Amino acid sequence: MFTVIPELSTETKQEVFVVGLFEQHSPLKGIAAKWNEQLNGQLVELLKEGDISPKRKHVSKIHTLGHTNAKRLYFVGLGKKEELTFEQLREAFGKLFKTLKGTKLTEVAVALDTFTTEQIDINDAAHALSEAFHLATYQFAGYKQKTNEPEKKIEQITVYTEGDKEEVEASLFVGSVYGKATNFARTLVNTPSNLLTANDLANYAVELAKKYEFEYEVLEKEEMEKLGMGAFLAVNKGSAEPPKMIVLKYQGKEAWENVIGLVGKGVTFDTGGYSIKTKEGIVGMKTDMAGAAAVLGAMEIIGEIRPEQNVVAVIPATDNMVSGEAFKPDDVITSMSGKTIEVKNTDAEGRLILADAITYAKHHGASYIIDVATLTGGVIIALGAHTTGAMTNNEALFEQMLEASAETGEFIWRLPITEKDKERVRSSAVADLNNSPGREGHAIMGGAFLAEFAEETPWIHLDIAGTSVTSKEHDLGPAGATGVMVRTLATFVERFQTND
Ligand code: BES
Ligand code: ZN
Ligand code: ZN
């Protein structure tokens, strides 16, 4: 896919060359300046006239009519050099690949050195390029009967750089791993629930474990009953599909200590249960396992990169259905932690399955817990479709998550959990907790409920209900599942530092 070549000369023949272009006073440098000479100064003219634009994320194309070694030149506008961020560079590459998608090209060459700045070195640029390539060209295969010839796709990207060949290759590899793992998560989320049951999700996880030699465990219903996972089991009661509690362990340190627990909501379909969703609200609920997909995607990256960290992934997988057996509003259930819960709303099921999953992650030695979940419609109202809602009981841990998210461009914003909020989730007349204490602050109520199970363990909750799917195509992918938090979780794990 990627080939790195240490030298770029005007002799190098290519169909298409891609060059980064910054807004600056003397616009053309290096190879671009040479091309300009070969084109009798026409590049500068085209720039002046606006046919080639250095504006950020503008992609311009010219045909050189045989005057240079490249038949076509693609210019990727990068804006002001000192302002370009890593995230913007990744998006600019995304835009490039979206533009190339319409062509029949199968090969491109990239003058990678033209994409670097003071802040973004050649290795960052390489990472951004390969990650953006996979993200931007992703397509869900779907289930339509194939009638046409398969579309032509880019299969070869030649990267020219004066940077260290091996380092650039390594960065291209890491970017590819990040991009591909996000795409695996996207595919899981896009798959409908009749084709992705809890059992299918467990099988997927076991395959992953085998591929990367993770220790794994899939708990069956009987074992969960013995462990007293009453909250998780309650949600599964109305289902014809048996629940699965999926555990993957990656040990990158000598001793099983300082373990990061990644917990992902795996509701394969959420009807709402007896607090049933409306016919509009129910559509799309196949994506209610996007938290589980994010965790599995992150584990894929961890398996490839093998950081010196310990990670336990815990995924409670079930659908939330209605039947004569289903749990009901007013039911009181007992979680694995021993805390009792009054069910006020069977549609607030995510927090119930996560409650036992968090307890179980601790049981497996998790000393830090990050949970990821499409937990509340409320977070969409609060923060919209581009920002993940976060809650925490630990400032220092959250700081590290913010840094990871700044690097991946998957934005998160913290919501508070006050003492008053804690009182509200404890406001049941008959049980320790109430799973749905009323309309106000839905997203916060979800977080405050989970905090009761994290207890003293440093914990972050990421509510991805708004960010896990998108209705519109974007620079780094099509409409549908985004694979949000795969890259942030993996970056967080890679960079993680303990406080002691
Ligand atoms: N899976 C939903 C949250 C959701 C809504 C995800 C829209 C994606 C898009 C969750 O289980 C749910 O139904 N939450 C309720 C909680 C309420 C009953 C306390 C909600 O947010 O309405
Ligand atoms: Zn629900
Ligand atoms: Zn749900």
Side-chain angles (χ1 to χ4, degrees), residues 103-132:
T103 68
K104 292 205 168 72
L105 289 168
T106 54
E107 268 187 63
V108 293
V110 182
L112 197 60
D113 297 347
T114 58
F115 289 88
T116 59
T117 70
E118 291 271 308
Q119 290 82 33
I120 302 169
D121 68 16
I122 191 71
N123 298 317
D124 297 333
H127 180 127
L129 174 72
S130 55
E131 190 170 287

Side-chain angles (χ1 to χ4, degrees), residues 74-150:
Y74 275 79
F75 292 91
V76 180
L78 299 170
K80 294 208 172 72
K81 197 163 192 171
E82 57 289 355
E83 286 176 8
L84 184 74
T85 65
F86 183 51
E87 166 60 5
Q88 288 166 348
L89 176 59
R90 184 169 29 224
E91 284 185 356
F93 278 132
K95 190 74 186 284
L96 165 75
F97 289 115
K98 290 262 165 184
T99 311
L100 291 173
K101 216 173 147 213
T103 68
K104 292 205 168 72
L105 289 168
T106 54
E107 268 187 63
V108 293
V110 182
L112 197 60
D113 297 347
T114 58
F115 289 88
T116 59
T117 70
E118 291 271 308
Q119 290 82 33
I120 302 169
D121 68 16
I122 191 71
N123 298 317
D124 297 333
H127 180 127
L129 174 72
S130 55
E131 190 170 287
F133 168 71
H134 289 287
L135 292 175
T137 57
Y138 171 78
Q139 251 182 327
F140 182 58
Y143 309 95
K144 291 186 185 178
Q145 295 183 71
K146 303 277 180 296
T147 46
N148 300 328
E149 286 281 296

Side-chain angles (χ1 to χ4, degrees), residues 265 270-272 277 285 288 320 345-350 375:
K265 173 176 172 182
D270 184 11
T271 66
K277 289 187 182 293
M285 280 302 137
D288 211 16
N320 182 23
N345 191 323
T346 60
D347 197 12
E349 84 298 339
L375 206 70

Side-chain angles (χ1 to χ4, degrees), residues 221 231-243 317-319 327 353:
K221 195 169 175 174
F232 182 27
L233 288 167
V235 175
N236 179 258
K237 268 180 85 187
S239 175
E241 293 289 337
T318 179
D319 46 9
F327 78 136
I353 72 170

